[in-house]
Amino acid sequence: MNAVDSADQCAPALRPLSSLGERRNYRDQVAHALRAALVTGQLRPGELYSAPALAACFGVSATPVREAMLDLVREGLVETVSNKGFRVTAVTERQLDEYTHIRSLIEIPTVTGLARTAGAGELAALRLQAQRIVAAAKDRDLIGYIEADRAFHLGLLELAGNRHLVEVVGDLRKRARLYGLNVLAERGLLVASAQEHLELLDALLAHDEELVTAVMTRHLGHVRGLWARPQSD
């Protein structure tokens, strides 16, 4: 398979680094942008991408791009192709099912438990992030949606006080990605999924464990049922 042409590699997520905001260094900035492009489908599974061509999109040298790509290799998101570049790895239906199953085993009971232990102030602090998710969904800002969604869910899990649990879920989210977000937005279903974050906070503040479990189960079901199989109907 041939590498994607340089002009075609410059997806919206791969804009010059000067417009990405303040981050720690070029390597981290590039890795962040590449993950966003992977999640939104702007970098396509099975396609080859070269570091020099991607570097041109970012307006940097090829070195931080290669370093960032190697970070993504370690995360299982891309693989190296000798003398050609990097290929985006495909995620099978079985893998997506397994990732979602593991997330449900971890997140549903953990978040349900927060109905008993989380303070009102801690939960209220997450409302702004939930509102950002809804705003991004309404604007069809998929990268903004992804960033706010990740911050909300991992921030919520942090309230349980288990750092390793947060790391595991963060890794699962990266590996599963959010396939089909564009399709979900086009169907008008993204806003409804976004609003579940506010519904979840309300249930937690009401200490309603049964409702928290129901909302979390429904929300994770949307992740697998709608995002993983966007072309099924």
Side-chain angles (χ1 to χ4, degrees), residues 132-171:
R132 286 175 176 159
I133 299 171
V134 175
K138 290 179 177 178
D139 292 339
R140 295 193 180 186
D141 176 6
L142 301 185
I143 294 174
Y145 183 101
I146 291 162
E147 292 176 342
D149 182 77
R150 178 179 176 82
F152 175 89
H153 282 284
L154 297 188
L156 189 61
L157 291 173
E158 284 175 0
L159 299 182
N162 188 326
R163 177 174 54 85
H164 297 292
L165 181 150
V166 177
E167 291 174 355
V168 169
V169 173
D171 181 66

Side-chain angles (χ1 to χ4, degrees), residues 89-148:
T89 58
V91 181
T92 67
E93 294 291 331
R94 179 171 180 174
Q95 286 174 313
L96 288 167
D97 283 335
E98 290 174 348
Y99 295 150
T100 306
H101 182 217
I102 296 170
R103 284 190 61 188
S104 68
L105 291 174
I106 295 173
E107 292 185 66
I108 294 174
T110 300
V111 174
T112 297
L114 292 176
R116 299 188 302 272
T117 62
E122 293 175 314
L123 295 171
L126 290 170
R127 188 167 294 276
L128 180 59
Q129 205 64 258
Q131 291 169 339
R132 286 175 176 159
I133 299 171
V134 175
K138 290 179 177 178
D139 292 339
R140 295 193 180 186
D141 176 6
L142 301 185
I143 294 174
Y145 183 101
I146 291 162
E147 292 176 342

Side-chain angles (χ1 to χ4, degrees), residues 211-230:
L211 181 56
V212 170
T213 298
V215 175
M216 278 298 297
T217 302
R218 178 176 7 114
H219 189 62
L220 288 179
H222 288 172
V223 169
R224 183 63 188 107
L226 293 176
W227 292 349
R229 298 185 177 96

Side-chain angles (χ1 to χ4, degrees), residues 198-216:
L198 292 168
E199 183 182 354
L200 178 61
L201 283 179
D202 290 340
L204 286 166
L205 286 166
H207 307 292
D208 189 334
E209 294 182 43
E210 185 175 343
L211 181 56
V212 170
T213 298
V215 175
M216 278 298 297

